[in-house]
């Protein structure tokens, strides 16, 4: 009887336990994505509403015989109005987190445009931007497994997309943390279930004794 009561209680508590465990897991996963989403990008800042000029410059870079990142860096140093990044070939940052860019529009675009392709013009309060993302982590729906732009081994002027070692390191850390998290949850859930079962069975025994005593009184009457 005690075993049956424990099993019934466990089945009753199971949906609540799953929800209690799954909700923090989703939060952990969301926090992990926010913390590990990184990007390496370059930009060229042009005057506001430079739509036609921006498109012409974009096509010039795309059609260049140079490796795309080299061609973009040369154009940035020559045409970009952002003096701070122009001297670095338009480099905004290497594996910087989401929210790093001063412009929200440009920051958002860094995590939406195609990898390894010159994109734009993108209008912001600073002007019109051409954008080249060369590496991005933890955007699997957008990039798949190949998240880094690299020179082709067959031709220095051609580019290929390859998996990023940075993403692998982040994934290993996350997996280790999740394993530890689920081990703790497993033991905590087991302990709580046993305590609940013991309390329930302990409460059922006095009730059974009360019922037997009442029946004895009735029989005597």
């Amino acid at each position: 009887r005690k075993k049956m009561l424990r099993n019934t209680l466990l089945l009753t508590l199971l949906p609540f336990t799953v929800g209690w465990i799954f909700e923090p897991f989703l939060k952990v996963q969301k926090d992990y994505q926010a913390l590990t989403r990184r990007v390496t990008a370059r930009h060229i800042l042009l005057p506001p509403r430079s739509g036609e000029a921006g498109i012409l410059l974009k096509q010039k870079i795309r059609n260049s015989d140079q490796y795309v990142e080299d061609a973009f860096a040369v154009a940035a140093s020559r045409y970009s109005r952002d003096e701070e990044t122009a001297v670095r070939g338009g480099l905004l940052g290497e594996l910087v987190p989401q929210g790093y860019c001063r412009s929200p529009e440009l920051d958002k675009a860094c995590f939406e445009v195609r990898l390894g392709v010159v994109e734009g013009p993108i209008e912001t309060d600073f002007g019109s931007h051409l954008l080249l993302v060369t590496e991005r982590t933890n955007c699997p729906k957008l990039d798949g497994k190949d998240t880094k732009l690299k020179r082709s081994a067959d031709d220095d002027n051609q580019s290929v997309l390859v998996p990023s070692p940075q993403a692998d390191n982040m994934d290993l850390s996350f997996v280790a943390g999740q394993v530890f998290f689920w081990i703790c949850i497993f033991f905590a859930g087991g302990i709580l279930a046993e305590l609940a079962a013991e309390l329930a069975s302990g409460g059922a025994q006095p009730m059974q004794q009360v019922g037997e005593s009442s029946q004895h009184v009735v029989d005597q009457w």
Side-chain angles (χ1 to χ4, degrees), residues 25-26 39 79 104 112 115 121 172 176 189 191 220:
F25 172 74
L26 291 177
V39 69
Y79 300 113
E112 292 181 348
L115 191 64
L172 286 174
I191 292 171
Q220 285 184 337

Side-chain angles (χ1 to χ4, degrees), residues 4-103:
M4 185 182 298
L5 182 62
R6 180 184 288 111
N7 292 339
T8 302
L9 182 61
L10 288 175
L11 288 174
T12 304
L13 292 176
L14 183 60
F16 301 99
T17 305
V18 170
W20 174 67
I21 292 174
F22 196 61
E23 186 175 349
F25 172 74
L26 291 177
K27 185 179 186 304
V28 169
Q29 187 179 43
K30 185 177 180 181
D31 292 343
Y32 163 76
Q33 291 177 343
L35 289 171
T36 59
R37 200 169 277 151
R38 297 283 190 276
V39 69
T40 299
R42 296 176 183 270
H43 86 128
I44 297 172
L45 178 62
L46 301 172
R49 295 176 293 281
S50 300
E52 186 175 350
I55 291 172
L56 289 174
L57 181 56
K58 176 174 68 175
Q59 292 301 328
K60 182 178 180 180
I61 297 171
R62 286 184 176 182
N63 297 334
S64 173
D65 293 332
Q66 287 182 287
Y67 173 56
V68 62
E69 191 171 9
D70 290 344
F72 194 96
V74 170
S77 62
R78 183 177 299 176
Y79 300 113
S80 182
R81 300 182 67 182
D82 184 353
E83 297 179 358
E84 183 180 347
T85 62
V87 295
R88 303 195 302 267
L91 183 65
L92 288 166
E94 293 181 317
L95 290 176
V96 293
Q98 198 165 10
Y100 178 82
C101 293
R102 287 177 292 177
S103 166

Side-chain angles (χ1 to χ4, degrees), residues 17-29 174-190:
T17 305
V18 170
W20 174 67
I21 292 174
F22 196 61
E23 186 175 349
F25 172 74
L26 291 177
K27 185 179 186 304
V28 169
Q29 187 179 43
F174 177 68
V175 168
Q178 286 298 292
V179 168
F180 177 75
F181 172 78
W182 282 108
I183 288 174
C184 293
I185 288 295
F186 175 78
F187 282 108

Side-chain angles (χ1 to χ4, degrees), residues 117-143:
V117 179
V118 182
E119 299 280 16
I122 300 164
E123 292 294 333
T124 73
D125 292 339
F126 298 95
S128 297
H129 305 256
L130 296 183
L131 181 64
L132 175 65
V133 174
T134 57
E135 185 174 5
R136 187 164 48 208
T137 64
N138 202 25
C139 293
K141 291 183 179 180
L142 186 61
D143 302 325

